[in-house]
């Protein structure tokens, strides 16, 4: 599979994962924009890093949600923006990929 095809597959996998989360939440927390952003992020990081993208975003979101709930003493219904978390993990993974490629030279 070429690099382009594997990136497209990674985008579909990440968008599909977030689409399942949208269906589970019935559109209350996540929206179509989060699905599209997850697809773009999957294309950027590629097939090799897709698991790290999804796992890292989920863990970062859980940690951030717990911190917000403990500091504000609000209930679990508190909404947290998903896009900044997804973008943060994507940027970190892109820097890790770049440093791996630079190590080859």
């Amino acid at each position: 599979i070429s690099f382009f095809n594997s990136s497209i597959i990674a985008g579909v996998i990440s968008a599909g994962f977030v689409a399942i989360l949208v269906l589970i939440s019935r559109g209350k927390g996540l929206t179509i924009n989060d699905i599209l952003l997850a697809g773009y992020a999957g294309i950027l990081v590629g097939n090799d890093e897709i698991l790290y993208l999804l796992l890292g975003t989920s863990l970062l979101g859980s940690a951030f949600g717990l911190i917000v709930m403990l500091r504000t003493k609000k209930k679990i219904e508190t909404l947290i923006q998903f896009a900044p978390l997804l973008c943060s993990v994507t940027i970190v993974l892109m820097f890790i990929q770049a440093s791996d490629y630079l190590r080859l030279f």
Side-chain angles (χ1 to χ4, degrees):
I1 297 178
S2 70
F3 175 74
F4 179 74
N5 289 340
S6 68
S7 292
I8 296 296
I9 292 170
V12 170
I13 290 171
S14 62
F17 178 77
V18 175
I20 291 170
L21 293 178
V22 169
L23 291 174
I24 290 171
S25 70
R26 297 186 182 117
K28 292 181 182 176
L30 299 170
T31 63
I32 187 75
N33 295 330
D34 295 318
I35 296 172
L36 295 173
L37 185 62
Y40 296 141
I43 289 171
L44 284 174
V45 299
N47 224 5
D48 298 334
E49 305 287 329
I50 190 67
L51 182 63
Y52 298 122
L53 174 71
L54 297 175
L55 184 65
T57 304
S58 298
L59 290 175
L60 187 62
S62 298
F64 190 73
L66 284 173
I67 291 169
V68 168
M69 283 175 37
L70 291 174
R71 291 190 77 198
T72 61
K73 296 188 178 23
K74 290 190 177 184
K75 295 182 180 177
I76 200 164
E77 289 93 20
T78 304
L79 296 178
I80 297 170
Q81 296 295 324
F82 185 70
L85 303 172
L86 184 64
C87 291
S88 300
V89 174
T90 302
I91 290 170
V92 167
L93 287 175
M94 288 174 62
F95 278 124
I96 289 172
Q97 284 178 346
S99 68
D100 287 344
Y101 290 127
L102 289 176
R103 216 178 294 151
L104 295 174
F105 295 107

